Amino acid sequence: MSNAAAVPTASPFLAACRGEEPSRTPVWFMRQAGRSLPEYKEARAGTSMLEACSTPELVAEITMQPVRRYGVDAAIFFSDIVVPLAAIGVDVKIVPGVGPVVAEPFRTEADVKRLRNLDPCDVPYITEAIGLLVEELGDTPLIGFAGAPFTLASYLVEGGPSRDHAKTKALMKSQPEVWHGIASRLAAICGEFLRIQVEAGAKAVQLFDSWAGALSEADYRRFALPHSTAALAGVANSVPRIHFGVGTGHLLEAMTETGAEVSGVDFRIPLDQAAKRLPDKVLQGNLDPAVVLADDAPLLAETDAVLEAARSAKGHIFNLGHGVLPDTDPGKLKLVVDHVHEATTR
Ligand code: CP3
């Protein structure tokens, strides 16, 4: 027996994930890689999103850009939730300004069979890119990620982004066996995609169920939760798992039943309320991404309000309440990182 457990975790991000006391409140931002950075736009010029995601040197460069510029406490792997689907042969494109678009939507029993399992050989560029990153990142942990089965299925069933997810919900109710067939195959794909990233060196994972907030709690429990649980089980007991959705205030408790160690909270639920409801969970969030476009004084006041509200939580990882908006001034994100670090260094 060693006394390793008594040695504090050096990375503030990993310490917070584990419910230990970090040396300062860790910060990273969803969608920190890409979006608003000029160096990202330059690196990406002339390359489609999916092409970029399968070019290891480019993936490593784009993943590093926000780490260098902001001094965040974790890197998020530059990829996309539809990468594993493209890797198994689904005809999906990421249309700029729109999002993922699927040529032939998935709506029938026959379509279930179009979703085969993911094999590490399908994504050698992921393993290679993470290998490059682990070396370059040093002590800064890399977060791997996947889209949750419901969010991915919504793109597959609708054929693209959707506001009401109507075809997806209609499929769940009319043909539940087709729905569960699609979602359970997606769970296996997501679980494997996460496992591949962890095996290559990712130190934590985040499951994005961005659109789960569109479901009632009863439907979430019946149609989404079992599949998200299965996806996260692929990396249980290996790395901390963060789970996040948008507009999921009514699902906070249900979403913890997936087993994730950290609950991502969007900007609509104050963290002190979330902490009351989830006393045993480390919370991640939740500055409104739009506030980053405001003047410095209100931006810093709201940053402080998030830190204050988080004091009653079991642990806190500072983040936005959803992704960085495209018009964000990178200088403002740097201001937030420096402020959180200064205000919380112990
Ligand atoms: O910075 C990061 O977080 C790194 C990587 C990342 C991307 N997408 C890169 C990306 C992550 C974690 C995602 C997750 C993702 N992708 C989600 C879940 C998170 C969320 O925001 O809710 C979803 C729903 C998608 C699907 C998707 N891909 C959308 C909605 C879009 C935006 C389309 C647009 O142009 O507005 C994409 C494309 C995408 N994924 C971009 C980036 C940097 C923009 C593409 C570009 O720069 O050309």
Side-chain angles (χ1 to χ4, degrees):
M1 288 284 114
S2 78
N3 59 359
V7 177
T9 306
S11 150
F13 169 76
L14 290 176
C17 285
R18 293 179 184 137
E20 297 166 10
E21 175 108 347
S23 55
R24 62 185 187 208
T25 298
V27 195
W28 70 280
F29 303 114
M30 291 185 275
R31 298 288 188 103
Q32 69 189 18
R35 286 291 166 125
S36 59
L37 288 180
E39 58 268 36
Y40 166 72
K41 290 175 193 154
E42 202 176 304
R44 269 287 315 282
T47 313
S48 78
M49 180 62 192
L50 287 176
E51 235 180 290
C53 291
S54 54
T55 310
E57 294 74 18
L58 193 51
V59 168
E61 165 59 22
I62 296 171
T63 303
M64 289 305 299
Q65 287 175 347
V67 178
R68 289 187 205 120
R69 195 190 256 260
Y70 303 131
V72 280
D73 296 283
I76 176 90
F77 187 54
F78 180 78
S79 188
D80 194 80
I81 59 171
V82 299
V83 163
L85 302 179
I88 61 159
V90 173
D91 189 352
V92 57
K93 293 197 169 50
I94 296 180
V95 179
V98 175
V101 173
V102 177
E104 290 175 71
F106 288 61
R107 292 172 191 162
T108 66
E109 186 64 54
D111 290 329
V112 177
K113 299 191 181 69
R114 291 165 58 203
L115 291 170
R116 69 160 170 86
N117 281 340
L118 181 72
D119 186 278
C121 306
D122 298 318
V123 285
Y125 44 85
I126 298 282
T127 303
E128 201 180 316
I130 294 180
L132 295 172
L133 277 164
V134 165
E135 197 148 306
E136 199 168 348
L137 279 163
D139 292 337
T140 305
L142 177 70
I143 305 170
F145 73 92
F150 171 75
T151 290
L152 283 176
S154 170
Y155 287 109
L156 292 183
V157 175
E158 306 287 337
S162 162
R163 193 161 294 170
D164 50 21
H165 310 275
K167 293 189 179 74
T168 312
K169 292 182 180 183
L171 178 73
M172 286 172 171
K173 304 286 166 156
S174 311
Q175 297 177 267
E177 64 298 335
V178 173
W179 166 261
H180 287 298
I182 291 173
S184 60
R185 289 195 178 210
L186 289 172
I189 293 165
C190 297
E192 182 60 10
F193 191 55
L194 292 174
R195 202 195 58 74
I196 290 167
Q197 293 173 70
V198 170
E199 193 162 290
K203 299 289 189 294
V205 295
Q206 177 155 323
L207 189 70
F208 284 94
D209 207 351
S210 300
W211 313 138
L215 295 172
S216 69
E217 185 185 342
D219 284 347
Y220 176 77
R221 287 183 178 281
R222 185 165 161 215
F223 295 107
L225 174 59
H227 305 295
S228 291
T229 305
L232 281 171
V235 288
N237 306 317
S238 60
V239 295
R241 299 165 300 168
I242 309 167
H243 192 200
F244 170 78
V246 182
T248 45
H250 60 301
L251 302 177
L252 280 189
E253 290 85 354
M255 286 176 75
T256 65
E257 292 175 29
T258 54
E261 285 74 23
V262 180
S263 296
V265 181
D266 93 346
F267 56 88
R268 294 166 184 86
I269 303 283
L271 290 183
D272 50 345
Q273 284 182 28
K276 258 192 212 126
R277 290 169 57 188
L278 309 177
D280 302 327
K281 289 289 166 188
V282 173
L283 303 182
Q284 175 175 281
N286 73 345
L287 182 69
D288 186 337
V291 172
V292 185
L293 275 67
D295 292 340
D296 290 2
L299 170 59
L300 293 179
E302 296 230 11
T303 300
D304 283 332
V306 169
L307 290 173
E308 183 58 32
R311 288 166 72 96
S312 53
K314 180 187 171 193
H316 181 217
I317 297 162
F318 191 98
N319 205 314
L320 302 180
H322 194 187
V324 172
L325 294 170
D327 289 339
T328 302
D329 169 358
K332 299 277 191 175
L333 289 177
K334 175 75 178 139
L335 187 67
V336 171
V337 173
D338 290 346
H339 185 76
V340 171
H341 284 164
E342 275 162 28
T344 64
T345 295
R346 289 178 257 272

